[in-house]
Amino acid sequence: MRQEFQGHGASRGSALGRARVRLPHALEVAEERITHEQVEGELGRLHAAIDTVRHEMHALRERLHGALAHEVGEFLDLHTLLLDDPELLQGLDELIRTGHYAADYALRLQRDRIASVFEAMDDAYFRSRVDDIDQVIGRIHAALHRRDHDTSGVAGEILVTDNVAPAELAQLQAQGVMAIVTAAGSALSHSAILARSLHLPLIVGASQALLKINDGDALVVDGATGTVILEPNAEDLRGHRARTRELARERKQLHRLRREPTRTLDGVDIKLYANAESREDVAEAHALGAAGVGLYRTEFLFLQRNELPDEDEQFRVYRDVVLGMTGRTVTIRSLDLGADKADKTGLVLRDEPNPALGVRGVRLSLAREGLLETQLRAILRASGYGPVRVLVPMVSSTEEVRTVRALLRKVAADLRKQGHEIAEHVPLGAMIEVPAAAIALPGFIGLIDFLSIGTNDLVQYLLAVDRNNEALSDLYTPLHPAVLRVIRDVIRLAKSRGKPVAVCGEMAGDANFAPLLLALGLEEFSLHPATLLELRRAIRGLNLEGLRKRAPALLRAKDRVGIEAWLRA
Ligand code: PEP
Ligand code: MG
């Protein structure tokens, strides 16, 4: 029967497909016993499920291609090894045979048993292996519950799950997943950012999804509005087709703008840089006429793997980006791991009481011996191939900027001594995303060459609203007088000192906010290529002088309602 429910649209696109339900990692399975006579049948069910998973992983491994194929492949190999682990398999058999537990409950017991061994280890790397155990057990569990007709593969499926980690998104897409619906999560999370980068429709905060949807149900999802329709009727199917057509038509129209300048009605050129996470993003940014890359998030290079990428590997990736932009500036951000970007290499502390306020961003880079130096060496080596800038995330003090500046100088001198060809000047920039950095900016602006305002974190830290907490999604908004004032002050100070300043948070990619940011003095935006042409179209319809004249009224707005009224006018 048709049902409709609402989440939040986090990555656009309309999709029609079969549901694949993945239960939360901590399997909530009630204790269930079986009789002696049922043992053989239950063992058969379990092993058929394990075989299915083995087969699926093998098929997936064969199909991998593209930018992340190598990393994803390593990930899959590890899971295949776990799947064949005698300890895991014998333990499960034993629980069913002698404990008379149902396969589901045996999986849960065995998961908890193995996880407790890993969790007791001192080494963060081994502790993080629990995630892999969970994924493998989760796959077996899902296979146990799949309907018979539904075991042929995962292409054409819409994943329905509690939450999705940034590290698994590329893998899911490679598997043929067409869209994802999560019960929790937020549109500002790094998973959402990555989903947009992959053009994978994503709906978050659809709290009823796991209760209502079963494996194999037909779904229509709309990543723009956040609507999920279970067992769609004829009208829904027509709606889906119309949206898909409309999207294609709009894309075609926008496409005509890819060689046009981003110029306001009164003739001022605005720079649109691209935020990039992958090689595909870089190619798209180049094709759409981006001024350069304004934010290359290097942490995505560290997320899907078990060892740190060394200097040479990093250098080759950064050089690829630089070459891909053919002479346009590439801004490479130093590692911003931590908080919701937890890696598997053991760099990020697993048990921080408050990870968003923890050892993340530049703090992590400076805390680990050699980490930043290796990365700066790789970035500077890439600067021999085209214009490069270095951007430092999560800056909160002048000391951090001073330390990075000194290290950059040392690394440049070392590389020159070693005979590397590097650019004469590699500008150093700071992300302004911690309120303290915005306030203390006069103290360190002399140490840096450019600024980038990260509104995703700036909003979170200014308003004390977790960007990943679905329950606070109404409070998480850049349309707050405090946010606007901080942005205005940072832009004003940067301009007075002749330093380029951009906004690179998700706010910059939303064409609805363009009038507001232009009014506050912004002339450089950095955004995902997915919305670059929309922003260009919006800016080409705006009069900059008129907007600047209306800035005082914007800054007088007392609340969100007032700011929204300004935007409407
Ligand atoms: C930001 O915080 O606005 C930003 C661009 O960085 P990230 O989203 O990667 O934290
Ligand atoms: Mg940030």
Side-chain angles (χ1 to χ4, degrees), residues 190 333 336 341 360 393-394 431 433 454 456-457 467:
H190 288 98
R333 183 170 75 180
D336 189 17
K341 288 179 281 195
R360 59 168 294 199
M394 289 295 293
M431 295 273 299
E433 51 186 343
N456 302 342
D457 279 314
R467 66 194 261 185

Side-chain angles (χ1 to χ4, degrees), residues 16 28 51 101 122 144 185 213 280 331 343 383 387 390 420 509-510:
L16 165 66
E28 282 170 25
D51 284 343
Y101 290 109
D122 281 339
L144 269 177
I213 302 172
E280 288 78 1
T331 311
D343 64 332
S383 78
V390 176
H420 289 282
D510 188 333

